[in-house]
């Protein structure tokens, strides 16, 4: 919720072979091609920890949009005094301000399409549920919310973002990965009342849709359907997951990790959050091995659920990356030359897409091996 969305350019790292590991079903395959030119990101302080500037430009068309968003916030939280814009996109705006002695973050939806309204309302429902049923990790305290206008005001938590990018281009420090895994595992062990959270992901429909879009092959479709059928026959239990367990949605502080952005929280097949972490930690083979062992520790059913989740998460990320590559190709050339050794945004996206396809091939082989054991 607080994390920056912009990428960080840095020197090129040496060529090396991509490694991905984890247990008998996710060992690095032979002949994996090296991925050259991965960018090394600088570690910057978390957005949540930066001082407030006290400046908001309310002039022009964008200013009018901010005034509308601010009016929505102050209708439900009259004491909210804006200080700065934390992030703005075509879909939402985040405002930092104060409510009395508390620093708060206001999140206002700008794109009121049905899909995004449903996401915001789901997140508001999650924060309301947390008031009476506290999760086993730290979360921002709810201050005010308006589901009808998709406006949310929560406490601003101290800490630094575990990663500034969705896919970190260098392995995060081991303590950060350990903190992220610990937070995710605690969330996955939580059993809130079933009626408070639904099942955000319809697995059969998602698999069919990806197949129709050409993102999954006919064999992928058959293999994943076999695993789903086996899980249904085995009566596998559902597991509570954050639903978007990215390092960019995790704040690290001395008081413990804080998880943000609960718009996808709910009941999934076991291992969805672990599959998300495995996917974004492409430059941390040791962490991937640990994640795979955790996901498969409960036996074949847990392994199969993790692999189904992994295929869906990787396919989603490939789809998002392909869209980003297309946009970068349509964008105009940079007005200033890039530093020596730096990669353009388009080149970064293409390298990421290549890595995701390699990962998907690895997961596909693991799925086929799992089907063969049934």
């Amino acid at each position: 919720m607080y994390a920056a969305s912009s990428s960080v350019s840095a020197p090129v790292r040496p060529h090396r072979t991509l490694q991905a590991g984890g247990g008998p079903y996710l060992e690095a395959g032979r002949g994996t091609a090296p991925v050259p030119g991965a960018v090394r990101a600088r570690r910057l302080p978390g957005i949540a920890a930066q001082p407030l500037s006290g400046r908001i430009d309310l002039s022009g068309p964008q200013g009018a949009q901010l005034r509308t968003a601010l009016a929505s916030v102050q209708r439900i939280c009259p004491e909210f005094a804006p200080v700065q814009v934390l992030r703005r996109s075509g879909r939402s705006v985040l405002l930092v301000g104060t409510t009395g002695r508390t620093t708060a973050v206001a999140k206002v939806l700008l794109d009121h399409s049905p899909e995004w309204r449903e996401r915001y309302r789901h997140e508001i429902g999650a924060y309301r549920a947390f008031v009476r049923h506290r999760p086993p990790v730290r979360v921002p305290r709810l201050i005010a919310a308006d589901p009808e206008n998709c406006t949310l005001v929560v406490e601003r938590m101290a800490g630094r973002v575990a990663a500034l990018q969705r896919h970190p281009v260098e392995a995060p420090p081991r303590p950060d990965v350990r903190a992220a895994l610990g937070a995710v595992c605690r969330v996955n062990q939580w059993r809130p009342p079933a009626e408070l959270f639904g099942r955000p992901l319809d697995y059969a429909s998602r698999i069919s849709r990806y197949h129709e879009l050409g993102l999954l092959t006919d064999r992928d479709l058959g293999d994943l359907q076999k695993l789903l059928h086996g899980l249904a026959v085995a009566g596998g239990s559902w597991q509570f997951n954050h639903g978007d367990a990215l390092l960019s949605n995790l704040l690290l502080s001395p008081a413990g990790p804080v998880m943000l952005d609960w718009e996808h929280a709910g009941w999934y097949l076991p291992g969805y959050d672990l599959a998300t972490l495995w996917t974004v930690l492409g430059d941390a083979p040791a962490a991937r091995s640990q994640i795979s062992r955790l996901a498969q520790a409960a036996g074949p059913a847990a392994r199969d659920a993790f692999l189904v989740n992994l295929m869906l998460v990787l396919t989603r990320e490939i789809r998002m990356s392909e869209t980003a590559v297309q946009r970068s190709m349509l964008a105009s050339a940079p007005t200033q030359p890039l530093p020596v050794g730096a990669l353009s945004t388009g080149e970064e996206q293409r390298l990421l897409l290549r890595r995701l396809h390699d990962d998907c091939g690895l997961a596909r082989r693991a799925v086929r091996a799992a089907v063969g054991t049934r």
Side-chain angles (χ1 to χ4, degrees):
M1 183 174 182
Y2 308 154
S5 58
S6 59
S7 60
V8 180
S9 296
V12 176
R13 65 187 332 197
H15 294 198
R16 67 178 185 82
T17 300
L18 182 69
Q19 294 182 352
Y25 289 93
L26 287 176
E27 292 294 347
R30 293 183 179 180
T32 304
V35 177
V39 180
R40 184 178 300 277
R42 298 189 301 268
R43 294 199 59 79
L44 302 177
I47 296 297
Q50 293 182 4
L52 305 181
S53 66
R55 297 181 180 180
I56 293 184
D57 183 6
L58 297 177
S59 61
Q62 291 188 341
Q65 190 179 63
L66 287 177
R67 288 195 298 271
T68 301
L70 182 57
S72 297
V73 174
Q74 292 180 332
R75 273 197 298 271
I76 61 172
C77 188
E79 66 273 23
F80 183 84
V83 177
Q84 77 177 49
V85 177
L86 188 60
R87 188 178 69 201
R88 175 168 50 190
S89 68
R91 292 194 175 100
S92 64
V93 61
L94 264 65
L95 298 168
V96 180
T98 59
T99 57
R101 296 182 178 180
T102 301
T103 306
V105 174
K107 186 175 182 180
V108 184
L109 182 66
L110 303 177
D111 176 3
H112 284 265
S113 60
E115 177 185 359
W116 284 95
R117 286 176 65 87
E118 179 60 28
R119 286 190 185 185
Y120 266 55
R121 289 174 176 175
H122 187 85
E123 184 173 17
I124 288 171
Y127 279 108
R128 285 179 168 175
F130 295 159
V131 174
R132 297 189 62 182
H133 303 276
R134 297 186 63 82
V137 295
R138 299 177 67 223
V139 299
R141 177 177 59 86
L142 176 66
I143 296 175
D146 179 6
E148 183 61 29
N149 292 309
C150 298
T151 303
L152 174 67
V153 183
V154 297
E155 172 189 15
R156 188 183 195 225
M157 306 292 284
R160 62 178 176 83
V161 183
L164 294 175
Q165 294 176 308
R166 185 179 185 90
H167 293 268
V169 294
E170 68 172 4
R174 289 184 180 180
D176 292 2
V177 174
R178 186 163 53 246
L181 273 176
V184 162
C185 289
R186 288 194 296 274
V187 169
N188 295 160
Q189 293 167 2
W190 189 42
R191 307 293 293 182
E195 65 273 11
L196 296 180
F197 298 92
R199 296 180 181 179
L201 178 57
D202 184 330
Y203 282 87
S205 296
R206 182 67 60 85
I207 290 170
S208 296
R209 181 156 65 91
Y210 283 167
H211 177 254
E212 291 170 359
L213 292 171
L215 298 170
L216 295 175
T217 67
D218 291 345
R219 182 166 180 180
D220 292 336
L221 175 67
D223 287 346
L224 292 174
Q225 287 176 339
K226 287 177 184 177
L227 292 185
L228 279 182
H229 177 72
L231 290 167
V233 170
S237 61
W238 292 79
Q239 180 188 69
F240 186 80
N241 279 251
H242 176 276
D244 199 20
L246 306 170
L247 294 178
S248 53
N249 284 334
L250 184 75
L251 293 181
L252 301 174
S253 72
V258 182
M259 296 196 76
L260 312 171
D261 281 0
W262 292 84
E263 63 194 46
H264 300 285
W267 300 94
Y268 294 78
L269 290 177
Y272 189 86
D273 285 344
L274 292 177
T276 301
L277 276 178
W278 192 97
T279 297
V280 300
L281 288 172
D283 203 32
R288 281 187 160 188
S289 295
Q290 183 181 2
I291 291 169
S292 297
R293 288 193 297 271
L294 284 172
Q296 301 176 50
R303 174 205 68 194
D304 292 353
F306 172 69
L307 291 175
V308 170
N309 285 322
L310 186 59
M311 279 295 293
L312 292 184
V313 171
L314 282 167
T315 304
R316 179 197 66 199
E317 295 299 310
I318 287 173
R319 187 183 183 193
M320 292 173 60
S321 185
E322 286 177 343
T323 301
V325 168
Q326 292 171 359
R327 288 176 178 171
S328 68
M329 292 174 64
L330 295 174
S332 58
T335 56
Q336 295 181 350
L338 294 170
V340 175
L343 297 178
S344 68
T345 301
E347 289 170 331
E348 291 181 19
Q349 290 293 340
R350 284 189 287 273
L351 287 173
L352 171 60
L353 181 58
R354 177 179 172 180
R355 193 266 290 172
L356 289 171
H357 276 294
D358 288 343
D359 288 345
C360 196
L362 183 65
R364 180 175 286 113
R365 292 192 293 273
V367 167
R368 292 175 182 174
V371 170
T373 64
R374 289 197 162 274

